[in-house]
Amino acid sequence: MPHQFDFGKPMTENIRALFDLWERVWHEGRFDLIPDCVGSHYIRHDERGDRTVSRDEYAAELQTMHRNRPGIRVVVYDHSFSTGRAWFRFAFVWPDPTIGEKCSRAGMQSYRIEGGKLAETWIAMLGLGIAWADEPQESWTRRKA
């Protein structure tokens, strides 16, 4: 079911629904859901610099990452939502395809949401092999009970 911005719900509930869908893109390979999650152009501030990519270009980047790192997961340790914004403390975790050992890289990411879709992001990554010491959340948007 496509993500629909519901003006009758609190803004944070709409953002939670967006990231529940975005988690399915990442963990289930549901790249067909990207148009429901990402605006037509996505501004990124990351290790590659400041750039604007089309939704299709970003979809291709995600698919390439999944091909190059089969089994990659985004593990979330903390998050916060506010009007038109989201923040995550997370780690990428994946098995090394040559030796099968677990690899990780911790980071923090902030999003600007416009019209119910991802419009802009700022991401800061720590070095390879670094992971957060605390326990991860149950899902991207739900802390453990």
Side-chain angles (χ1 to χ4, degrees):
M1 173 184 342
H3 167 71
Q4 297 292 320
F5 189 86
D6 184 343
F7 289 100
K9 286 185 178 178
M11 177 65 75
T12 57
E13 288 305 311
N14 284 308
I15 293 172
R16 181 180 313 280
L18 169 63
F19 281 99
D20 285 343
L21 200 62
W22 193 228
E23 184 174 14
R24 292 182 63 202
V25 170
W26 272 92
H27 290 174
E28 298 173 17
R30 291 290 312 272
F31 302 115
D32 59 305
L33 298 175
I34 290 174
D36 297 323
C37 299
V38 178
S40 62
H41 289 86
Y42 189 33
I43 302 167
R44 297 190 47 81
H45 309 279
D46 58 24
E47 294 174 314
R48 294 176 62 183
D50 297 337
R51 59 200 175 98
T52 301
V53 293
S54 72
R55 179 187 303 131
D56 291 340
E57 289 168 331
Y58 189 59
E61 286 182 23
L62 286 179
Q63 291 171 0
T64 297
M65 180 183 292
H66 280 263
R67 266 193 313 277
N68 292 342
R69 292 185 172 159
I72 191 168
R73 305 281 296 174
V74 178
V75 180
V76 172
Y77 292 83
D78 197 7
H79 73 278
S80 179
F81 301 140
S82 63
T83 304
R85 303 282 178 175
W87 169 88
F88 291 88
R89 181 169 58 91
F90 72 98
F92 288 119
V93 179
W94 69 96
D96 181 300
T98 56
I99 57 175
E101 286 186 23
K102 179 179 158 184
C103 298
S104 64
R105 192 156 182 223
M108 296 175 87
Q109 189 164 9
S110 178
Y111 294 89
R112 181 174 59 82
I113 295 132
E114 192 173 277
K117 295 183 181 187
L118 304 177
E120 188 169 11
T121 189
W122 296 261
I123 186 168
M125 299 298 301
L126 299 174
L128 185 63
I130 296 177
W132 301 108
D134 53 331
E135 288 293 315
Q137 297 183 169
E138 182 178 313
S139 74
W140 287 14
T141 64
R142 287 171 183 75
R143 292 173 175 87
K144 289 186 176 182

